[in-house]
């Protein structure tokens, strides 16, 4: 699982929710080994969704490993800032 399969969603204006956490509801988000989902594949696709006028995306859930201690310099942190605008 790298995230490349999300390519058909590129530029979508109708998708409302994306859950990349790779866990079921009420499961612990600690996955071992860490999921191989790649920021390099996923973030450009998500950027193409949020930059579109009429974007319907309201909820994004990320793998815990992405959320742990993001530095202000990280590509992920920069995406979060763009998404929250």
């Amino acid at each position: 699982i790298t995230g490349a399969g999300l390519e058909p969603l590129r530029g979508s204006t109708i998708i409302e929710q994306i859950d990349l956490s790779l866990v079921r509801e009420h499961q612990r988000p600690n996955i071992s080994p860490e999921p191989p989902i790649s920021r390099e594949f996923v973030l450009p696709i998500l950027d193409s969704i949020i930059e579109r006028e009429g974007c319907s995306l309201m909820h994004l859930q990320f793998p815990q490993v992405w959320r742990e201690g993001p530095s202000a310099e990280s590509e992920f942190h920069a995406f979060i800032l763009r998404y929250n605008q």
Side-chain angles (χ1 to χ4, degrees):
I1 300 172
T2 62
L6 297 173
E7 187 62 39
L9 298 177
R10 187 176 289 277
S12 173
T13 58
I14 61 171
I15 193 159
E16 296 178 356
Q17 179 174 331
I18 299 175
D19 183 345
L20 301 171
S21 66
L22 305 176
V23 295
R24 293 183 183 170
E25 190 173 359
H26 306 297
Q27 280 188 323
R28 294 182 57 128
N30 301 329
I31 300 174
S32 182
E34 290 182 2
I37 192 162
S38 168
R39 289 180 192 89
E40 290 76 32
F41 283 118
V42 173
L43 292 180
I45 294 168
L46 295 177
D47 268 325
S48 76
I49 293 170
I50 67 170
E51 69 187 10
R52 299 287 299 257
E53 190 167 326
C55 170
S56 299
L57 188 60
M58 308 263 287
H59 178 82
L60 272 171
Q61 193 160 344
F62 297 100
Q64 180 176 359
V65 68
W66 288 20
R67 299 185 314 253
E68 290 177 339
S71 80
E73 312 281 314
S74 76
E75 194 177 336
F76 177 67
H77 181 76
F79 170 79
I80 294 299
L81 291 175
R82 290 189 299 277
Y83 175 68
N84 286 332
Q85 288 182 345

